[in-house]
Amino acid sequence: MTPTPEWYLTLAALLFVIGLAGVLTRRNALIMFMSIELMLNAVNLTFVAGGSLVGNLQGQVSVFFVLVVAAAEVVVGLAIVMAVFRRRATADVDELSGMRG
Amino acid sequence: MEAFVFLVAAAGAVAGAVTLILAKNPVYAALGMLGTLFSLAVLYVTQLAHFVAAVQVVVYAGAIMTLFLFVIMLIGVDAVEDTSERLPSQRVAAVVVIVGAVLFGGYLWLSNTFTWSLARAEVDPLVGSIEATGLILFREWLLPFEVTSLLLIIAAIGAVALALFRPARRHVGDPGSGDSGGER
Amino acid sequence: MDALVTFAHDWLWLILALPLAGAVLNHFAGSRMPEPLAGVLATLASGAALVVAVVAAIPWMFGDEHEAVTVTLWEWMPSLGATLEMRWDPLSITMTLLVAGVGSLIHLYSIGYMHGDSRFASYFVYLNLFAFSMLALVLANNFALMFLGWELVGLCSYLLISFWREKDVAAVAGKKAFVVNRIGDLGFIVALMLVFGAFGTLSFDTVLHDPGSTLAAGTATAIGLLLLLGAAGKSAQVPLHVWLPDAMAGPTPASALIHAATMVTAGVYLVARVSPIYELSDTALTAVAVVGTVTALLAATIAIAQNDIKKVLAYSTVSQLGFMFLAVGSAAHVAGIFHLITHAFFKALLFLGAGSVIHAMGDEQDIRKMGGLLKKMPVTGATMAVATLAIAGIPPLAGFWSKDEILASAFDRGGAYTVLWAVALFTALLTAVYMTRWFILVFLGQPRWDEGVHPHESPRVMTIPLLVLAVLSLGGGFLNTPFWLGLEHFLEPAFEGVHLQHVPEGTTGMVLIVVSIVVAVLGLVVGWLVYGGGDERRERVLARFARPLRGAEGAWYVDEAYERTIVRGAAASAEGMATIDVTVVDGAVNGVAWLVRKAGESVRPLQSGFVRNYGAGMVAGAIGLAIWLVSRGV
Amino acid sequence: MTVDFPVLTSLIVAPLLGAVVVALVPSRRSEVHLPLGIALSMIPVALAGWLFVAFEKTAGFQFAEFTEIYSGWGVNWHLGVDGISLPLIVLTTILVPVSLAVSGAITDRTKLFVAMVLLLEAGMIGVFLALDLIVFFVFFELVLVPMYFIIGIWGSESRIYAAVKFFLYTAFGSALMLAGIIALGLGNLRATGSLTFDYVAIAEVGVAVGSQWWLFLVFALAFAIKVPLFPFHTWLPDAHVQAPTAGSVLLAGVLLKLGTYGFLRFNLPLFPEATLDAVPWMAALAVVGVIYGAAVAIVQPDLKKLVAYSSVSHLGFIVLGTFALTRQGLEGAVIQGVNHGLSTGALFLLVGMLYERRHTKKIADFGGLAKAAPLMAGFFLFMSFASIGLPGLNGFVGEFLILVGSYATLPVYAIVAATGVVLATIYLLWAYQRVFTGEPTSEDNAGMKDLKGVEVTVLSVLSILILVLGLYPRILLDKITPTTDALLERMEISTSYVVPPGGSDG
Amino acid sequence: MVDTAVSLIAILPELVFVLGAVAVLMVDVTWKPALRVHGWIAAVAVAGASGALFAQWRDVDVNSIRLAYGDMILLDHQGVVFKGALVVVTALGLGFGWGLFGRLGRKGAEALALVFLSAAGFMFMVGSFHFLMLFLGLEVGSISLYILAGISNESTESDEAAMKYFLLGSVASAILLYGVALFYTASGHLGYGGAFSFVSTLNTQIVFKPSIVPLAVALVLVGLLFKIAAAPFHAWAPDVYQGAPAGITGYMAAAAKIGAIAALARLVQVAFRDLPDTWQAPLAGVAAVSIVLGTIYAIVQTDLRRILAYSGVAHAGFLLVGVSSGGIGARGVVFYILTYAVALVAAFGLVGQVSGPASAGSPLDAYRGLSKSSPVVAGALSVLMLALAGMPVTTGFVAKFGVFTAAWAAGQEWLVLVALVASVAAFAFYLRVIVLMYFEDGDGPTVSLGLGAKVSLAVSLVVTIGLGVYPTVLLDLIDRAVY
């Protein structure tokens, strides 16, 4: 039994959903960020596995770009967390609910 | 053998992911994340994406997770999160949404109209060598590559602009009069 | 003669233009003139119209001209065939002369009567405008022009009734008169719709020339009944008679002119004018007669118990108009017109006399506070005596001849009309009674004046018209007697194609005359017996009839009944609609707005401020969209 | 008909430029704005007067102007005037200086006020002139804005509610009409292959019978709200009562006519089949409006509201005449539009003058005013009788034409509507009686000032017009009739409808 | 392999903006100049970008449409028009929000650079002919906006806005990216050209109807719908537009919408064109939901910026009305987004002028009596409100008319009716602003406009009314651009 790319794809889907679940259930901004990273990683896995399925390298190359984007997002996201934390001394996103309605 | 590697790595990835979303302590979560990243790197290798695997370890596990941990430490490592849900209906909503997503995905996966790909290539396994990757990256996809540099500039600016926190100076007409370049 | 016919054709418009010009002139300049000038001008305008009319009438009255002359002023509403065209035929000649003649006298009288009033000029504007309107009504050769005049006389009536607008009574009465008239006009308008629907024009030339060839019987009946409604409104016939007594709130000369002599007879004129249509429908014709008879009786009973000097006359007018309706309803159009003329004379006289009395008594109108005025006001008293006898039907005064013709015609028509005749005869008796009562209470017996009242004879400008009218009341009956049917011969060409009801000849005729005389005399006697024997006896006799008299004094509470049913019902339903308007109709509109807002309020909690809620919504939306797309396939 | 200069465009542009000119005068020179506005509004009067004189007594559009705006959507600057629009244009140009002339009481933001009135004029004239559906719609909507401001800024207590209600309600109607317009253009595209919103082109091709129903409905809804037809009338009392005098005058005088104009211009010629089927319904609403409006007017304690509801009643007549589909009915509908504008406009002027003097509109607060203000009483009575439909004054001409005209096709409706004539008498004369007759009921009423010179002038002008139209309506009818006859002819050609005979060919 | 000259012109405006951003940063570091200098740099950048756009337009005229950079970028008139819109909103946004950069102190230069960078990002998005390019452009633009949302220290709402925007935006990006990955897995293509040919073969050759393709399409759409704030992906918008610094909110809202709509248009025109049955009805559904929800939410708001945000949701719906109509909707959509963007920037710009450039929120009460204290601002705001509401004689009407006509022609009558009714209800809140400014008494703030704001306001009004009266100028241009 050789794992086909489909296996990987299924795993990626699972990871994506887990990441989504993390975003929806956790309220620590850092863990939410990590969950988003998890989603992006799932995408990466999809790219790689999909690339081997369709037989071109574009998927693999795409991963680099996703990586850079993820890095940039993390930097900015963490900067936002820092800003919030300095002002409110919390990383709990539920505290950030001043605007509503 | 291959199946075994896959299963182990997959289990590691899922375990890490579950740890990530369930851990009360952000440090544990980060460690779970790290586990997932390494597991994925293994899976990339089995998919013959060697370069990707390498980058995964270096950039993700190395750089990004470090940054995460850095910030976790900065804002207090002992800040154990109270994971009890306080938002009314959020947990219900989340469960419904996630279960819905899983059910829908599962339904699709099992339905007879499902296939992952319609463009299956029956060719030799791809090898994500550095050369092949580099050719695409620096030739065909030169522009996106350059654009990523913009992202990095933005990230740098963003980090500076957001993390720079001083009591706001009201009615400052001229930023040049301050010591602006200093933080960069 | 031909020259005069041409004159009539060319200058007929002057009859309308002169009073109108007077009105316009007085309207803009009257208030700046010294007082009598405005009145004089108005009188001259009216008189000039009379002169023109007389001259223009010569070929018909004294020559052998019978054909109608029509003059088109201008097309008003072409698509309706509504043209301002005038008709000069015996009927309109008769009416024109009457209106202009009596009108001019009353103009003259008014100069004295209205002396010192702050709105002297305005009064004459209205009076002139009325003359114009009434002449337009009678001169019309087109329903449109007729309706124009019809409505404008209503307007003038309104203006004159509520002339003293500071008095609430007057203002209310004016409004009431106009509104009730307007209800009648509704019938007129609808009738015009039917007429236009049937003929495609409103011109008399078409409509009244052999309408039977165009008109279905049912339509003719409908038109007849609708016009009757209009006529009843204007002529104060049951059930629309309620406005006329109230109209006495206006200046007395106006009452004389409008509410006795001319305007109120417009209904009679209308029926006579459109007699070719009534010719086609016995139902409509009988309805006219019945309405007239009922009105006559009802009003006469009421008149007996009235204490206001003018109210008695007002109900008397209503009653007499009922006679006229009976006449035209019996197809005795000539008799109707004849009574119209004689009535105009003596009723105008009565009103002017009453005005003279009121004037003299310092605006006192209650006849219980009068008495014995004959000595103080000989001219007025004497002329009133003439008028009383005339209206009571004592030969050979004017009223006798005309009333007798009506009764005789009705009798001769037979059938149901016999009943009407009997009722009318009884009414004639009542007429004599209440007029006797009136005269006695006002002029005879002991003075019952209030303190400080010093009656005096009116000035010359007022007594001259009285005298003229007295003469006319004396001799007016000879226009048309069984022995010399002058008016009938004169008018007959105007009723071409109509089967006129004639007075029976021979024995029947003589018997009827005798019966009439007997009844009239009987009335006088009864009146004298009851009212002429001093206060004590009067009280004693009247006490026996206290209950019916109280009902009669209250005009049989028709007003109250209307008030309780129609007016309050209408007011209640209007209030109801106004409430519905706010709650239901507008409520629905505001309800929609409320609903939208409510919807906004109810979704607002979804925007909770918690980013994870947003995320859940977003992901749910994503899944939903995915399901949707997948379900649609490729 | 060729003209040397684009008179119709000038008619629209002149008030616009006027608004700009007024806006350029500095705010502090507030005493200049109103006279300047009046002077500037005389330019359209002159143009309209010339138009009126030069207008030939034929059917079809005259003075037409055609310039392409955007071919991609088939939208053109297509203007034209015919017998239906001509009287309304003249009316509009006359009422604008009138309403400005009586606005002396407006001292707050006069500049904005004058500019808004002039803008409103441009919009109203544009509606009547537009022969392109989109251009029409643009102007139709555009008039809402200045009127919204006029009510909202210079109105009385509940002006905001009234202004918003006015705007939203009427905008709602026209929104659905926009769908109809789009469908018309696209329908033409399907039928002929060219997308156009040109009214003449669409009318020439005709509208598919199948889609006429709902198109009729959406157009009718828009116009019914504007008219307003029962039961869409409830914005009207609020708007009227709250609006300043000028607003009420223009609202009653012109804005309501946009609805009746719309029926004549669009519903009848474009959707003839649907019109025929809708006749009983429209007539029923019209008649209900006649009676209902009058009945509600009777019991109104507020004089202005009374006049407002009287408009509902009067406009019901116009709609009845429109859907009678007879030449008299159509003529009456057109001319009654003008008549109502004059007489009701004048009544609103008078109510405004009363309000200015006594700062109340409650009938109960007045009483016996005739003593102190005989001129005002006289004019009020005159206008009331014009409104009641006294022959010799203009109101009668329209009502009579409508009633007689609708009897031919809608006898029962016509007869019921005729009772509205009686009701009109009741509410107006009763109001007059309570307000003007009797002894003055209070010091204020006894000491009230009579009309000023400018007010007398304005009312006299209107009175003269009322008299002229009442006695010699042919001055308008002769120009209206060819168009309305052509309209009926069109109905006969495109449907099985036969216009009932009746009436000489005067 | 790569013709540099040709390729450079394909990204010329982007390049100018990037250079502008770099110049601002370098100059700021080196000389610490007065803000005025940055102003000049910005002006030059805008002028340069305009010139670049002109050059691009001419180039397409001469050399016709073509692809560049390994088929990553498409150079065509439509793209030029969208990029032009971005340049315009950038210029207007900077003009209106110039006060903010002063208030930001030392961060001013960074903020300015971010504006240019984000504009460049969205331009890349506009020009993208490749999913990866689309994603990168979107991220460059979006991440800049996240930072801009939180850049002010003056209010706590600012970082709340940034956090919300960032979290939700990242999730949306991830979803979009997953869709891209799935599409790639299914088709083997990331370029639109390949995608198009793949999709078109789906219809003709394959009997088997796979569900992976619509799934991928759906996820890609979600990412873009999020950016234009279409319901139910709109929840971030009100909070972000309320909390972000007032001076830059207009730009943020407009630029993201332009970029995403341009990308969406490209997708339905090219990549997914042959799948109309798949996306048309759902997009119409999203349009309807957006219009209705946005409207009823806006009606109950008490803060003008939230009103504008929710109205933006409704406007996203209106745009989707056009988008979901496919090719015939393009003209309307382009006109709509162009003119809406201008009105939106101007409206937010004026809000910023009234409430202060770095403020968060703009309670309606502040506008009471504004017509007396600041008649020009009140008048202009009224015009803009009416334009946003779709009043004739403003661009709002022409735009709505365009998309409605297209939707009607595309057989989506029900959608037009919903949109029309909702647009009437929307008058309620637009008019409310006028009510407060004109009909109610109060002492509104006296607003004095700076030079930039004055010029921007004048331009916005001229565009809004001028193109409302005579839209032909722009429509002719658009007609040459869309196909």
Side-chain angles (χ1 to χ4, degrees), chain E residues 220-252:
Chain E
V220 171
L221 290 182
V222 167
L224 292 175
L225 293 175
F226 174 88
K227 285 293 158 208
I228 63 168
F233 316 107
H234 67 284
W236 57 276
D239 293 0
V240 170
Y241 294 157
Q242 183 187 352
I248 204 62
T249 315
Y251 167 77
M252 288 171 60

Side-chain angles (χ1 to χ4, degrees), chain A residues 6 8 26 37 52 64 86, chain B residues 23 46-47 60 81 120 163:
Chain A
E6 280 86 347
Y8 293 83
R26 299 304 298 264
E37 293 304 316
S52 62
F64 295 109
R86 286 206 192 154
Chain B
T46 61
Q47 283 286 300
Y60 243 124
E81 189 187 353
R120 225 173 278 270

Side-chain angles (χ1 to χ4, degrees), chain E residues 55-383:
Chain E
Q56 282 192 332
W57 182 275
R58 287 299 311 275
D59 186 69
V60 178
D61 276 346
V62 176
N63 300 327
S64 84
I65 299 168
R66 67 189 181 284
L67 295 164
Y69 292 107
D71 297 357
M72 284 275 165
I73 291 285
L74 176 69
L75 179 59
D76 69 346
H77 279 148
Q78 180 176 322
V80 176
V81 169
F82 277 121
K83 287 180 206 167
L86 279 166
V87 172
V88 169
V89 297
T90 308
L92 293 178
L94 289 178
F96 277 117
W98 197 248
L100 174 69
F101 300 102
R103 287 286 282 270
L104 286 175
R106 282 172 296 166
K107 292 190 218 163
E110 280 96 333
L112 188 55
L114 282 174
V115 169
F116 281 120
L117 286 174
S118 72
F122 289 123
M123 282 186 194
F124 279 122
M125 199 173 167
V126 168
S128 65
F129 203 66
H130 191 278
F131 280 112
L132 200 66
M133 201 62 227
L134 164 70
F135 177 68
L136 283 176
L138 182 116
E139 284 298 308
V140 169
S142 302
I143 294 178
S144 310
L145 294 189
Y146 305 152
I147 301 166
L148 282 172
I151 204 162
S152 168
N153 295 337
E154 288 190 33
S155 65
T156 52
E157 285 91 346
S158 186
D159 44 50
E160 182 180 336
M163 179 67 96
K164 285 177 172 172
Y165 199 6
F166 174 79
L167 278 175
L168 296 171
S170 301
V171 171
S173 298
I175 291 176
L176 177 135
L177 197 59
Y178 191 50
V180 170
L182 287 181
F183 189 82
Y184 169 70
T185 306
S187 67
H189 294 289
L190 281 169
Y192 290 177
F196 171 72
S197 48
F198 168 74
V199 164
S200 53
T201 55
L202 275 183
N203 288 332
T204 52
Q205 295 175 3
I206 300 177
V207 182
F208 176 64
K209 298 293 181 191
S211 47
I212 188 84
V213 177
L215 180 65
V217 172
L219 297 182
V220 171
L221 290 182
V222 167
L224 292 175
L225 293 175
F226 174 88
K227 285 293 158 208
I228 63 168
F233 316 107
H234 67 284
W236 57 276
D239 293 0
V240 170
Y241 294 157
Q242 183 187 352
I248 204 62
T249 315
Y251 167 77
M252 288 171 60
K257 270 210 171 78
I258 295 171
I261 279 291
L264 203 52
R266 196 71 89 195
L267 284 179
V268 302
Q269 281 166 1
V270 183
F272 302 151
R273 195 177 85 185
D274 283 350
L275 284 177
D277 289 343
T278 308
W279 50 259
Q280 191 160 26
L283 275 188
V286 171
V289 172
S290 301
I291 293 170
V292 171
L293 265 189
T295 303
I296 61 174
Y297 263 119
I299 284 176
V300 290
Q301 297 305 315
T302 54
D303 186 296
L304 184 51
R305 289 173 66 179
R306 288 187 85 79
I307 288 180
L308 287 174
Y310 280 118
S311 97
V313 176
H315 279 287
F318 289 124
L319 283 162
L320 288 177
V321 169
V323 173
S324 69
S325 307
I328 47 174
R331 174 163 60 199
V333 171
V334 174
F335 188 90
Y336 200 113
I337 186 68
L338 258 55
T339 53
Y340 169 65
V342 171
L344 184 64
V345 172
F348 268 121
L350 288 178
V351 169
Q353 298 293 327
V354 172
S355 304
S359 64
S362 191
L364 280 176
D365 280 342
Y367 294 83
R368 234 174 264 277
L370 192 69
S371 69
K372 282 183 177 160
S373 56
S374 316
V376 174
V377 173
L381 199 51
S382 304
V383 170

Side-chain angles (χ1 to χ4, degrees), chain A residues 80-95:
Chain A
I80 293 174
V81 171
M82 291 302 299
V84 170
F85 186 78
R86 286 206 192 154
R87 199 187 283 274
R88 305 173 197 241
T90 179
D92 186 343
V93 296
D94 286 0
E95 303 288 324

Side-chain angles (χ1 to χ4, degrees), chain C residues 278-363:
Chain C
Y278 280 101
E279 181 78 8
L280 301 173
S281 169
D282 273 341
T283 316
L285 203 58
T286 314
V288 174
V290 170
V291 165
T293 312
V294 170
T295 308
L297 178 65
L298 187 83
T301 57
I302 296 171
I304 283 182
Q306 295 302 310
N307 292 320
D308 185 306
I309 186 169
K310 284 175 74 180
K311 281 264 170 84
V312 177
L313 297 181
Y315 280 108
S316 155
T317 306
V318 175
S319 177
Q320 295 300 310
L321 288 166
F323 277 104
M324 295 175 217
F325 268 63
L326 171 61
V328 290
S330 314
H333 299 295
V334 176
I337 296 295
F338 183 32
H339 194 57
L340 189 160
I341 296 166
T342 58
H343 176 257
F345 295 153
F346 56 68
K347 189 52 65 65
L349 175 56
L350 281 169
F351 267 108
L352 294 188
S356 179
V357 168
I358 293 166
H359 212 64
M361 295 291 292
D363 292 336

